[in-house]
Amino acid sequence: MDESKAAIGACAVFALLMLGSAAAPVRSSAEGHTESNIFTTQPLYVSPDTSASRAVIRYPEDARDISVIADTPQARWFDSSASPESVQRYVVDAAAADAIPVVVTYGIPHRDCGSYSAGGFTDPGQYRAWIDGLGTAIGDRTAAVIVEPDALTATTCLDPADTESRLDMLRHAVSVFADLPHVAVYLDGGHSRWLSPPDLASMLAAVGVDRIRGFSLDVANFFSTAEESAYGETVSSLLGGKHYVIDTSRNGNGPAPDAPLNWCNPPGRALGDEPTAQTDDAHADAYLWVKHPGESDGTCDRGDPPSSVWWQAYAVDLVRNSGR
């Protein structure tokens, strides 16, 4: 995503929130329905069926490198093509392994403003029904849910009516998942170089972050854990102590300083911290691998593989650049 345009779009959303009935105070309650860090209770789920695990078989010459990715717990993304039954199978398999699954919802209409990860539902009613189905599929099982990466902060393609519709859809998703008894919910908040902490805190509060555990940062991006933690702590302080998780899947070398698209398959990147609940800051619940290392961010206007398609050479570089 072009971050300068994204910032403009986010400011428009912020203005709409402040002018409309959705406006909310910056400070919200200290805890949502999940009062403890679930990542300290069980290990994270390592699915045997991932793009990395399939690549280990397909490319035996790189098996040692790619196994580093395949053997590490990662989130599972569910888009508009995913049925509630597929989500149920995933959380049931994780429960059988006595592990915590991380579910990412990625079906919001006008997703990614038509860019490399375009898609999602075409109708808000379809989206709400899908979210309802996912909530039923998870039920009383333990899980972490990350709600719609970039949906709150990437809105350059939306007119005021579609913007308000999106905010309502996010409120609905927050409400559905907040009602699940053993689910920690994190509404995505972009990253440290997108919005100022007060702007992000106001936007999160306006769509119901007070009802859930907190927010997620750096999903599918490359900013350092230290930078995101400092940002997260500041945002948390404005929200009465809400918690957050950081995607560390590819931030081992930080962002590419001079790449034209430093968020889109930049060269020279590395795997970041392994998923863990042992974090350096009071409100950071976990470092997670949300983006799947080795899957492309998109064609990047230079002929890279399409978004979410496995890219063997890039995956190998991520591992080797991390020294693992």
Side-chain angles (χ1 to χ4, degrees):
M1 165 96 30
D2 184 318
E3 291 169 8
S4 62
K5 292 181 181 178
I8 294 171
C11 289
V13 175
F14 178 71
L16 179 63
L17 291 176
M18 295 302 99
L19 290 171
S21 60
V26 173
R27 185 171 297 278
S28 62
S29 62
E31 296 290 351
H33 78 290
T34 304
E35 296 185 357
S36 61
N37 183 359
I38 67 167
F39 298 110
T40 65
T41 64
Q42 290 177 284
L44 287 161
Y45 181 50
V46 180
S47 172
D49 181 23
T50 64
S51 53
S53 66
R54 293 188 290 273
V56 169
I57 298 171
R58 185 177 179 185
Y59 302 101
E61 67 277 14
D62 294 326
R64 190 208 69 81
D65 291 316
I66 302 306
S67 290
V68 173
I69 299 174
D71 294 342
T72 301
Q74 301 168 51
R76 175 69 62 87
W77 294 58
F78 294 92
D79 65 13
S80 54
S81 68
S83 67
E85 291 76 17
S86 66
V87 176
Q88 184 176 56
R89 286 193 297 271
Y90 183 63
V91 296
V92 166
D93 288 346
D98 293 320
I100 297 170
V102 179
V103 171
V104 181
T105 67
Y106 202 50
I108 201 91
H110 306 291
R111 191 178 69 206
D112 200 25
C113 282
S115 188
Y116 303 121
S117 296
F121 287 95
T122 59
D123 177 75
Q126 293 174 335
Y127 179 77
R128 292 187 182 90
W130 180 69
I131 289 292
D132 291 343
L134 300 192
T136 300
I138 296 171
D140 61 359
R141 301 176 185 87
T142 298
V145 175
I146 295 175
V147 178
E148 298 297 334
D150 292 351
L152 188 61
T153 47
T155 57
T156 57
C157 58
L158 304 180
D159 62 24
D162 283 337
T163 298
E164 183 55 42
S165 177
R166 172 169 291 189
L167 298 177
D168 284 342
M169 285 184 278
L170 290 174
R171 293 184 193 105
H172 181 76
V174 164
S175 178
V176 168
F177 296 125
D179 286 342
L180 302 179
H182 304 298
V183 173
V185 187
Y186 301 89
L187 180 60
D188 190 64
H191 57 72
S192 55
R193 302 190 193 182
W194 207 326
L195 296 178
S196 72
D199 283 0
L200 178 58
S202 292
M203 293 173 72
L204 288 167
V207 291
V209 75
D210 60 301
R211 296 199 59 197
I212 57 178
R213 181 70 178 174
F215 54 98
S216 58
L217 295 173
D218 212 32
V219 171
N221 224 298
F222 301 86
F223 299 109
S224 72
T225 302
E227 178 177 331
E228 295 306 303
S229 293
Y231 179 72
E233 289 298 312
T234 303
V235 175
S236 174
S237 72
L238 298 170
L239 291 170
K242 299 308 293 184
H243 294 255
Y244 59 93
V245 294
I246 299 172
D247 183 358
T248 61
S249 57
R250 306 180 300 173
N251 72 349
N253 284 345
D258 300 318
L261 296 175
N262 64 3
W263 53 269
C264 195
N265 300 328
R269 301 311 91 204
L271 300 177
D273 294 321
E274 293 186 6
T276 181
Q278 301 300 311
T279 67
D280 294 330
D281 293 278
H283 299 94
D285 279 348
Y287 306 146
L288 303 174
W289 283 14
V290 183
K291 171 71 177 181
H292 298 167
E295 292 185 2
S296 177
D297 294 315
T299 60
C300 306
D301 296 333
R302 57 177 178 258
D304 294 350
S307 177
S308 301
V309 171
W310 182 260
W311 188 359
Q312 180 71 6
Y314 198 84
V316 170
D317 282 348
L318 287 171
V319 176
R320 294 180 180 176
N321 291 343
S322 72
R324 297 180 189 172

